[in-house]
Amino acid sequence: MDTPQATVTLDTSGKCCPMPMVETNKAIKALAVGDVLEIIATDVATLKDIPSWCERTGQTLLSSSEHDQTLKFYVRKNR
Amino acid sequence: MKTLAIVVTNDAFDKILTPLGIAYLMAAEDVQVDMLFVNWAVTALKTGGASNLHIDGRHAEDEEKMRAGMAKAGLPTDMYELIKALKGTGCVNMYACSMAAAIFGVDETNLIPEAEGIVGLAWFLNEKADKADHYQYF
């Protein structure tokens, strides 16, 4: 599967709950519908937080991956 | 969840972090958060109060370690900075309990500008806590 093209990248590396989700919420609000937010995280809590947040807020989680303890999420803004 | 009410009782640096952190997280999701600061926690809404909070008791000697951990996590290490960030979300209202304010010397002259005012417990419990989707007590 191709890596989605990110409109904006949010790097939360080193930060932990609640900051990755606080910053993700801020970042998505600054985007237009259809834009893709790439989120980089090292907090394992984001593994559950981000998919749950996407479902709750109506965004689409396009893909997620983990490499060398770094997590990447691609989220398309729907509203 | 659209609304959250939180009662905060403790002004220890470590104990107040959790309710403030939860409020920050929920406000980021546009949840309307109403917080009532009772007992010693009301001093966090007094001018200069939040910046001077410390860890009490058996964990007191770990305060520097905790502040370093918070900085690494991306959180402000000064509770007043966190209170200002809460206010800046536009989704958090912070109220001082009138009884606690009277006991601990908080009034309109020394209340921080981020606080909405001094209110009664009955008003908060009936108008905010009872009507909120979720209610927490710390």
Side-chain angles (χ1 to χ4, degrees):
Chain A
M1 183 177 162
D2 293 339
T3 301
Q5 184 68 41
T7 310
V8 167
T9 296
L10 170 67
D11 188 353
T12 71
S13 298
K15 297 179 180 178
C16 64
C17 183
M19 297 315 293
M21 295 314 300
V22 168
E23 293 180 359
T24 295
N25 274 283
K26 285 182 183 173
I28 203 82
K29 286 172 186 168
L31 296 180
V33 169
D35 285 349
V36 174
L37 175 63
E38 177 189 37
I39 305 156
I40 301 171
T42 52
D43 181 3
V44 293
T46 57
L47 281 169
K48 286 190 183 300
D49 278 343
I50 288 182
S52 166
W53 170 82
C54 286
E55 189 174 334
R56 193 167 61 254
T57 61
Q59 318 304 347
T60 300
L61 180 59
L62 298 171
S63 73
S64 61
S65 62
E66 182 174 2
H67 183 68
D68 288 341
Q69 298 183 321
T70 296
L71 304 161
K72 278 190 182 180
F73 303 89
Y74 290 86
V75 176
R76 187 179 66 226
K77 179 170 177 166
N78 293 329
R79 59 179 187 164
Chain B
M1 188 194 314
K2 291 186 173 12
T3 55
L4 170 65
I6 302 175
V7 171
V8 187
T9 65
N10 200 311
D11 71 335
F13 183 83
D14 51 338
K15 301 283 178 25
I16 206 167
L17 174 62
T18 301
L20 294 182
I22 288 172
Y24 197 27
L25 177 61
M26 290 295 93
E29 290 197 17
D30 296 327
V31 172
Q32 176 61 50
V33 183
D34 290 293
M35 307 180 78
L36 181 68
F37 290 71
V38 305
N39 208 301
W40 282 108
V42 79
T43 62
L45 299 185
K46 187 177 182 178
T47 302
S51 294
N52 286 307
L53 300 181
H54 296 284
I55 297 178
D56 294 334
R58 66 191 175 96
H59 295 301
E61 64 186 30
D62 293 325
E63 185 167 317
E64 287 310 310
K65 188 177 167 185
M66 181 178 173
R67 287 183 192 270
M70 287 171 63
K72 189 178 173 187
L75 283 162
T77 58
D78 180 332
M79 289 303 169
Y80 188 47
E81 293 303 314
L82 189 48
I83 284 173
K84 287 194 284 189
L86 291 180
K87 186 66 179 177
T89 66
C91 294
V92 181
N93 291 326
M94 290 168 276
Y95 302 95
C97 165
S98 61
M99 182 177 75
I103 293 171
F104 297 103
V106 179
D107 57 35
E108 297 292 351
T109 66
N110 59 22
L111 197 63
I112 58 173
E114 290 77 13
E116 298 302 311
I118 298 171
V119 302
L121 191 55
W123 176 82
F124 186 87
L125 292 178
N126 284 290
E127 300 301 327
K128 299 298 180 184
D130 189 46
K131 294 175 180 174
D133 293 331
H134 193 59
Y135 169 50
Q136 297 180 331
Y137 183 93
F138 290 88

